Amino acid sequence: MDKNSVYRTNIIGAGEVGSAISVEMDKDSIHKTNSIFWDTKGNEILGATALPLYGAFVSEEKCQLFGDISGKKMLEIGCGSGHSLQYLGERNASELWGMDISEKQIEKTTQHLTSYGLSAKLFCSPMEEECGIPENYFDFVYSIYAIGWTTDLEGTFCRIASYLKKDGVFIFSWSHPIHKCVVAENNMLTFKKSYFDESWYSVSLDEGTLTLSDRNLSTYVNALSKAGFVIEQMVEQSDDEIMQSRDDNSDFAKKAKILPVTFVFKARKL
């Protein structure tokens, strides 16, 4: 992956990251960079987002996108440390499956679920690639703050559609693209990059490196449509109750009251 000299702004979490450098899109190199990041620094730097939270200030307990999952077969894309699988397993899902690009994350999932008396069938693989997951099998496929790591959004959505039964549901969350353009500084919100910039970039964080692209909402919508999904619901409103319960008066919370920082889609396979 050849880096060029173009500096670009990026927003991760609550603040601006000043070392984001534009890069060329090379799937294999990106997979290697990001798997190393999650094997080593991922949870330490970015933490872990898991159900019932979809991301900052958005909760399943408020949105109720899954509904009753008793007896349902569930597959998580980007299972991380296993907390979302635990959440659904404790709500009587009949089968838990997960995949992640990081071997360390798969190990964490196994350990975490075992400590709660649960188990899952797990695969270490990029989400874009065939890895032995059955087709036309699952009632739900979901991804909590992981789908944005894909190097091939349309291909990933088509693969997810193949995993689902007819009328199966796909739910996923990610950082809202408008949030990635705006930084809070000096009691103001300032645009730091174009909303329409979907170029790939590399960021150095605490001796770790990650590579991402910030896609427009329309890119997600169009990719869902091409994969044969119909969108049933989209959530982008920050939950005031969550912010109030945490007594969060940070710049990030103030920002979340003005513009969306997380989005969630619920879509159904036709």
Side-chain angles (χ1 to χ4, degrees), residues 188-251:
M188 298 179 64
L189 296 179
T190 305
F191 271 85
K192 290 290 188 175
K193 66 178 282 285
S194 168
Y195 173 84
F196 302 108
D197 180 4
E198 295 188 321
S199 62
W200 286 84
Y201 58 89
S202 182
V203 178
S204 296
L205 294 171
D206 191 22
E207 300 180 357
T209 302
L210 59 85
T211 304
L212 286 168
S213 169
D214 300 325
R215 300 176 176 94
N216 306 332
L217 281 181
S218 60
T219 301
Y220 290 100
V221 171
N222 293 331
L224 285 169
S225 179
K226 288 182 181 180
F229 287 102
V230 59
I231 296 170
E232 293 191 343
Q233 194 169 349
M234 176 186 169
V235 179
E236 59 178 353
Q237 180 71 44
S238 299
D239 190 331
D240 287 335
E241 292 182 5
I242 296 177
M243 286 185 274
Q244 291 171 3
S245 67
R246 297 176 180 175
D247 193 26
D248 193 338
N249 197 38
S250 65
D251 285 343

Side-chain angles (χ1 to χ4, degrees), residues 80-96:
S81 55
H83 287 76
S84 292
L85 286 168
Q86 173 209 339
Y87 179 84
L88 297 174
E90 291 177 341
R91 281 152 184 80
N92 301 316
S94 65
E95 294 184 21
L96 301 176

Side-chain angles (χ1 to χ4, degrees), residues 17-169:
V17 175
S19 58
I21 304 296
S22 295
V23 298
E24 295 181 6
M25 209 295 281
D26 179 279
K27 181 182 69 173
D28 293 337
S29 180
I30 290 170
H31 286 167
K32 181 178 179 180
T33 297
N34 290 339
S35 63
I36 291 173
F37 177 78
W38 284 105
D39 277 345
T40 56
K41 294 286 187 177
N43 290 123
E44 178 184 334
I45 297 173
L46 297 183
T49 301
L51 292 172
L53 291 178
Y54 284 107
F57 313 123
V58 181
S59 172
E60 166 63 11
E61 294 174 351
K62 178 72 171 287
C63 299
Q64 293 292 302
L65 298 180
F66 280 93
D68 183 6
I69 61 163
S70 298
K72 303 299 185 182
K73 298 173 182 176
M74 321 293 287
L75 168 64
E76 180 170 11
I77 307 297
C79 58
S81 55
H83 287 76
S84 292
L85 286 168
Q86 173 209 339
Y87 179 84
L88 297 174
E90 291 177 341
R91 281 152 184 80
N92 301 316
S94 65
E95 294 184 21
L96 301 176
W97 296 60
M99 69 179 307
D100 201 283
I101 197 172
S102 164
E103 292 183 0
K104 292 296 183 182
Q105 297 295 322
I106 293 292
E107 292 174 7
K108 288 179 181 179
T109 294
T110 300
Q111 293 168 1
H112 181 75
L113 292 179
T114 299
S115 70
Y116 281 86
L118 298 168
S119 63
K121 297 180 181 178
L122 303 174
F123 297 79
C124 185
S125 172
M127 65 184 79
E128 304 91 330
E129 298 179 2
E130 196 282 325
C131 63
I133 293 174
E135 297 185 351
N136 302 305
Y137 187 77
F138 296 94
D139 300 290
F140 287 87
V141 176
Y142 69 97
S143 180
I144 309 301
Y145 252 64
I147 208 71
W149 294 92
T150 182
T151 59
D152 178 7
L153 189 68
E154 290 185 10
T156 296
F157 282 179
C158 287
R159 192 168 294 283
I160 287 170
S162 75
Y163 299 148
L164 284 164
K165 300 175 182 176
K166 180 177 171 54
D167 294 325
V169 171

